[in-house]
Amino acid sequence: MDKDIPSPRRGEMDDDVYPVHLLDNANDYRNLFMSYLFRFKDILDSDKLADSLTKLLEIGDWRKLGGRLRLKEDGQLEIHVSQSFTTQRPAMAFTHDTFSESIETHPLGRGLPQVSGTNSPSVQKLSTDLRPFAGSPSAPKTIKELIDRDAPILSIHVTTFTDSTVVVISWPHVLMDAMGLQALMRNWSLVLNNKAASVSPVLGTQDDILQEADSQIQNNDKRQELAVEKLAPGPLGMAYLVLRFLWLMLWSPGFEERTILLPQRHISQLQAQALGEIAGKDEHEQKPFVSEGDVLAAWAAQILAASQPRGPMTVANFINVRFRLSIFQAAGGEYIQNLLQFVYAPLSLQSLAGPLGPCALSYRKHMAAQSTEEQVLGYLHMQREHVKARKRLRLIFGDAGASMLTVNNLAKIDFFRIVDFAPAVVGEGERLVKGACNGQDASHIKDASHVKQTSRANPPGTIVYYHPLVLNKPSVLTSHFRVLGKDHAGNCWLTGTFPARTWGGFERALESL
């Protein structure tokens, strides 16, 4: 361990103690228990998965993720980690189910989106609640349950079918965001591939990097006005919003979660359309640009707007400050914590009802204005002060009369290529089904080398789909749109939670592509 990195202090039973940093302690994160579901078209050795993850959590300050939560006298959380992991006090909770049938025939497995023959755009309704994939219903799903049971922070549940494996990793949101999970999955893959020497160190486990970043703005005499403050509703607006949320709790329009498959050619078509609609007339002028992410967010906002009473909309988009602050550029390691920011794009009725290009450009301009280093530093300072005073994040911005859409673009995380569990593959399910020996069923075969080889889009040990879940699922009061990223076939996977009537708009939009 680097001598400049503070060592964890000692606590009860000679445990190492890691603090839970200020923003991670916010009630907004305390109230969420997350899971990410990863689907493989391979049969994986669960013992190899468990052993390799344990080895990772024994390296340096990766040990923090193998700890238990404790509540201090002042109400703040901290993490206690034993000096060594044992069967009585393991690094994580690891459970495993095996079914002697295909994933497509199992009642829970067939509830997942269809990933075979996916070369056309589609909207797929989840046919069942996927949370049982995360393990026993009695497993901890709250901070209190974790503390009361002295349970590990991380839990892994593996479900093995005759042709597929589903791996679900669960954790309380106070531990990390999705980029923290990406770091975990990437370094887990390294250990599994016998590359433990290449594992990145975990940084900022004792001293909060955001406190250091915050000191920059406090010492800056020329700090900028925070752009998002211009969108803050006044007292009357806040009162209206409270009444509106109460109404939604009583008269929810009925939100449904579905998955969208959008092949690359259709994304390129949408982006080309948008760029054509905003192209400058003067060839000497700098041409405006909108990214695929901008176009997808605007596309979803326009479809939502068309399915509800006419009016403005505020699009709240997650960004990760790891990519926005210079303090992270030469980090040389992983920050396993929550490093998220909301940026808000108020979209007018005219923008929502007009061409796609100008709507995407308006969205992009609002995102850019709130994402500069100075603005991000100001936002973090505002949130830190708010959490100190009220124990929660300040998240309500925008026109009180506008509808709301939350957007989370996870494409940069690229789980489809980051996860590499190839050494744990004991059978390639896709080939076992498509390339059965002499036409016989080969689902029982453990060694894929005995099976006729057929082409597959993704390398063995990589995922074909993933799905974020909230285990202690709260009431849905606003629409959500999530970009998962592109699989090895170039298909973009999207998920959304929208009123049922909005999904008809998505289906019609896909038919017109």
Side-chain angles (χ1 to χ4, degrees), residues 164-181:
S164 304
T165 305
V166 174
V167 178
V168 177
I169 182 166
S170 306
W171 74 97
H173 212 320
V174 296
L175 180 63
M176 60 184 175
D177 55 22
M179 274 303 301
L181 176 64

Side-chain angles (χ1 to χ4, degrees), residues 325-347:
L325 298 181
S326 57
I327 198 172
F328 290 100
Q329 288 180 1
E334 315 288 357
Y335 286 92
I336 307 297
Q337 59 189 99
N338 290 285
L339 294 168
L340 300 174
Q341 174 184 341
F342 263 128
V343 288
Y344 298 80
L347 300 178

Side-chain angles (χ1 to χ4, degrees), residues 6 58 68 105 116 139 194 203 230 340 352 363 411 438 503-504:
E58 291 172 338
R68 274 77 174 150
T105 61
S116 298
N194 294 318
L203 307 177
K230 300 176 183 178
L340 300 174
L352 292 165
Y363 170 85
N438 300 319
W503 283 115

Side-chain angles (χ1 to χ4, degrees), residues 4-21:
D4 295 325
I5 299 176
S7 299
R9 66 180 177 85
R10 293 293 170 85
E12 62 187 45
M13 299 170 56
D14 214 29
D15 283 353
D16 288 334
V17 178
Y18 293 90
V20 174
H21 297 316

Side-chain angles (χ1 to χ4, degrees), residues 35 37 122 254 259 393 427 469 491:
S35 278
L37 178 155
S122 63
T259 296
L393 300 171
L469 300 166
N491 299 311

